Every structure is written in structure tokens, then in C-alpha cells.
């Protein structure tokens, strides 16, 4: 694929070989992401960072990535301080960002918002999370993390745990892992099971995920445990949320018979689903995973502008 000018909307738009190109290029970006090497490749380029929903990692790592490449960032993290407050449409906001910048990064509460934005912008649009839809750059950094830690993704036994219904990160990741022939287990309360269309996407790739509500059935054999938060803000019904909140919490006792090299990942933020006592164990990968957002997003910014290291 020629990435120059390409929108990054859903991981399903990319082949395995496209993803491998991004992962390989991101590995080259690591010393630059850590500030150990220096480059000015995006000098003169401007990124619009448009966040209609709260974010810590995605917004700051995109901004760090652009700054590490010597580009500039404009944008907002509080949409109530923009002309949306006066009734401006998303389409018109995107038209303005398109006029003022070379790349648009958009997080929005509505599924499909990024694809819509791409129709109104000449500049490449990168989906930084659209409602309960997709989060392709999170998916890429998750794959990068597994590749870096395990040396390959193929055949890894990956357990996705938690809110699989509303969790956009696991929707993207389940599909992408199935491209690599990973073995998938989905663990969630019954009411938060993985949507059928995502399960079908996995099956189309020849992967038949095992679904259960009992983590103890699969944790002992897992290479990767990917934990997600039960997202209060996604539930249309507060009662539905109160029935599942606190359904699971990973603590040291639960890790007594896991593989020595099990890695625990989480897109973050976490609330109570991983006990802080796990942080100091060799299994905890989630903070390193969050750092990996910088080299991966640097690689994407470079690829979509067509200005390479
Ligand atoms: N993982 C992730 O999307 O985190 P933020 O919501 O903090 O950006």
C-alpha cells in the first residue's frame, strides 16, 4: 500500500503486510520517540488534534509523536470551547482543520465520525477512537507491543477480557490478531460479549474464538492477557452498568499458575480491573504498551505525509 495521503479509519482497511510495514517502521522510530536520536522530518507540517472525547494517552502520544518529528500541533481537547458550542457541524469543523493543517487526528463519541470526516478533508484523517466503533492506532500499538515482546504474533494465545461489547480497542484487536492466526479467547460477563460481527470477522480469517465468562478456564494457558475497563460512559442504561461493574479484578493470587512469560496488557485507563500490586510484576506490560503509542504514531505521521526517515 502507498500510505501517502491515506486515511487511517479502521484496521480492517489494512492487510497483514501493510500492518507489518507499520510495525517495522515504528521499530525504527523507537530511539527518536525516546529522545535518544533527533530528526526534523516533519518540520513545517501541522497536525490538527481534535478531541471531542476525553483522552490522556492517545492525544498526548500523538502530540509527542508530532513534536518528536519537529512538526507543530494545533487543536482542542475541550469541544465546548469551540464553535461546535454555537451549533457548527462536524463537517464544517473538519473543513476548517483541513484548511489549517496537513494531518487531522479525530476522536469523537459517534461511531463513523472519522469516516465521515475523511469525506470532507483533503488531508489524511486518523481515527483516534470513534464511539464504540474502532481505534486503529491503539490496535497498531497493541500489535507492535506483542511483536516486540514475543518476537512474533502468529499462534500466540491471547485472552481478551472485560467489556468486549462496547470496547472499541478489542474490536479492532480481535480482527487484527486473527489476520496473524493468533488463538483467541473472549472472556466477559454474558451481557458484554463480543459483538457477532467482530466474531464473524475473526471466523472469516479462519480463527474460531472461544467465548466464556470464566477467566480461570483460559488464563493458565495464555501468552497475552488483554484486560479492558468496563466503560461506564458507553452504557445507555445505568442499571445495566451496575450489574457488571467490578465483575473481575486481576490480582496476584489469580496469577499463581500462569505461564512465566505471560504479558498483561491494557489500553488504559484502568480503574479497578487490574490491582496495583500487579504493576511491579514482570507480567505488567501496560505502561510500556502506552509508551509504544509514540513510535507507532510517529511512523503513521511519517507514512501518511510521505516524508520518511
Ligand atoms: N488507550 C486510550 O485510548 O487511552 P486514552 O483514552 O487515554 O486516549
Amino acid at each position: 500500500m502507498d500510505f501517502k495521503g491515506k486515511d487511517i479509519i479502521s484496521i480492517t482497511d489494512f492487510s497483514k503486510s501493510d500492518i507489518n510495514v507499520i510495525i517495522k517502521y515504528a521499530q525504527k522510530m523507537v530511539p527518536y520517540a525516546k529522545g535518544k536520536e533527533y530528526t526534523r522530518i516533519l518540520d513545517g507540517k501541522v497536525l490538527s488534534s481534535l478531541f471531542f472525547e476525553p483522552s490522556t494517552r492517545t492525544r498526548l502520544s500523538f502530540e509527542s509523536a508530532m513534536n518528536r518529528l519537529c512538526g507543530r500541533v494545533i487543536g482542542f481537547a475541550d469541544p465546548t470551547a469551540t464553535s461546535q458550542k454555537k451549533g457548527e457541524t462536524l463537517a464544517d469543523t473538519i473543513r476548517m482543520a483541513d484548511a489549517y493543517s496537513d494531518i487531522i487526528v479525530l476522536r469523537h463519541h459517534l461511531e463513523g465520525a472519522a469516516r465521515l470526516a475523511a469525506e470532507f478533508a483533503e488531508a489524511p484523517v486518523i481515527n483516534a477512537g470513534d464511539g464504540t466503533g474502532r481505534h486503529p492506532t491503539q490496535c497498531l500499538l497493541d500489535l507492535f507491543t506483542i511483536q516486540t515482546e514475543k518476537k512474533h504474533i502468529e499462534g500466540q494465545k491471547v485472552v481478551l477480557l472485560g467489556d468486549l461489547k462496547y470496547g472499541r480497542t478489542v474490536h479492532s484487536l480481535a480482527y487484527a490478531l486473527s489476520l496473524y492466526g493468533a488463538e483467541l479467547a473472549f472472556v466477559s460477563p454474558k451481557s458484554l460479549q463480543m459483538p457477532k460481527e467482530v466474531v464473524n470477522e475473526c471466523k472469516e480469517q479462519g480463527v474460531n474464538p472461544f467465548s466464556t465468562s470464566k477467566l480461570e478456564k483460559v488464563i493458565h494457558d495464555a501468552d497475552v492477557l488483554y484486560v479492558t475497563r468496563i466503560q461506564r460512559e458507553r452504557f445507555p442504561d445505568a442499571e445495566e452498568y451496575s450489574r457488571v461493574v467490578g465483575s473481575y479484578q486481576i490480582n496476584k493470587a489469580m496469577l499463581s499458575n500462569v505461564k512465566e512469560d505471560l504479558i498483561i496488557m491494557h489500553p488504559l485507563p484502568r480503574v479497578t480491573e487490574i490491582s496495583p500490586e500487579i504493576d511491579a510484576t514482570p507480567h505488567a506490560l501496560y505502561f510500556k504498551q502506552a509508551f509504544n503509542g509514540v513510535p507507532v504514531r510517529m511512523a503513521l505521521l511519517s507514512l501518511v505525509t510521505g516524508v520518511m526517515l
Side-chain angles (χ1 to χ4, degrees):
M1 173 186 288
D2 181 7
F3 287 93
K4 187 174 178 189
K6 174 103 184 129
D7 302 308
I8 312 282
I9 306 298
S10 168
I11 201 70
T12 55
D13 299 336
F14 295 87
S15 67
K16 182 175 159 186
S17 68
D18 295 331
I19 295 171
N20 285 339
V21 167
I22 297 167
I23 290 176
K24 199 154 180 224
Y25 193 35
Q27 279 159 346
K28 199 169 166 187
M29 289 291 182
V30 170
Y32 299 90
K34 289 182 173 169
K36 291 185 176 159
E37 289 189 46
Y38 184 69
T39 175
R40 300 192 64 85
I41 57 168
L42 292 196
D43 192 8
K45 299 284 185 199
V46 177
L47 166 76
S48 280
S49 168
L50 313 182
F51 278 73
F52 289 85
E53 266 199 336
S55 168
T56 299
R57 278 145 294 275
T58 311
R59 185 170 70 83
L60 295 184
S61 63
F62 260 117
E63 295 188 6
S64 174
M66 192 64 180
N67 278 289
R68 292 286 193 199
L69 297 169
C70 280
R72 300 289 179 100
V73 180
I74 59 172
F76 55 82
D78 175 10
T80 64
T82 75
S83 287
Q84 288 263 318
K85 187 82 179 157
K86 304 173 209 163
E88 186 163 66
T89 62
L90 176 64
D92 283 358
T93 304
I94 294 298
R95 284 185 174 106
M96 294 303 96
D98 195 34
Y100 301 148
S101 62
D102 306 292
I103 313 166
I104 298 170
V105 171
L106 175 70
R107 171 168 288 191
H108 201 277
H109 49 276
L110 292 178
E111 188 174 345
R115 213 170 279 284
L116 177 87
E119 285 176 23
F120 291 93
E122 290 282 314
V125 171
I126 303 181
N127 183 4
D130 60 336
T132 56
R134 300 286 172 157
H135 196 349
T137 66
Q138 178 69 45
C139 180
L140 289 165
L141 78 88
D142 293 340
L143 295 172
F144 175 87
T145 301
I146 296 170
Q147 170 69 38
T148 305
E149 297 303 317
K150 298 287 189 184
K151 309 302 171 214
H152 61 94
I153 303 170
E154 290 81 359
Q156 297 292 338
K157 292 179 177 156
V158 183
V159 175
L160 304 183
L161 169 69
D163 177 359
L164 307 185
K165 180 179 178 183
Y166 297 115
R168 58 193 173 200
T169 61
V170 283
H171 298 166
S172 298
L173 188 58
Y175 167 78
L177 286 169
S178 63
L179 287 180
Y180 287 83
E183 275 185 44
L184 299 179
F186 296 159
V187 184
S188 67
K190 234 182 164 59
S191 62
L192 294 180
Q193 283 179 345
M194 189 66 91
K196 274 208 165 54
E197 78 239 32
V198 179
V199 175
N200 288 339
E201 281 174 1
C202 297
K203 286 185 177 167
E204 279 162 24
Q205 303 307 320
V207 171
N208 200 359
F210 173 70
S211 291
T212 177
S213 58
K214 294 191 178 358
L215 180 62
E216 59 273 24
K217 279 193 175 171
V218 289
I219 192 171
H220 61 281
D221 204 24
D223 301 303
V224 179
L225 172 61
Y226 192 96
V227 186
T228 63
R229 176 175 64 96
I230 294 185
Q231 306 173 86
R232 181 200 294 264
E233 67 275 21
R234 303 278 178 228
F235 282 72
D237 174 7
E239 211 175 292
E240 188 193 350
Y241 174 73
S242 68
R243 277 198 292 271
V244 290
V245 63
S247 297
Y248 52 89
Q249 186 191 44
I250 305 300
N251 55 39
K252 270 191 176 169
M254 294 167 80
L255 302 184
S256 58
N257 68 344
V258 299
K259 286 184 178 170
E260 209 173 300
D261 61 352
L262 168 76
I263 59 170
I264 301 177
M265 297 171 64
H266 190 310
L268 303 178
R270 71 164 153 189
V271 188
T272 56
E273 60 279 4
I274 299 179
S275 165
E277 68 182 9
I278 302 294
D279 298 358
T281 72
H283 301 295
L285 246 292
Y286 27 92
F287 296 121
K288 195 170 175 193
Q289 175 190 356
F291 162 76
N292 288 339
V294 181
V296 168
R297 290 172 174 129
M298 289 172 77
L300 287 172
L301 296 174
S302 169
L303 285 164
V304 300
T305 50
V307 188
M308 308 292 287
L309 263 185

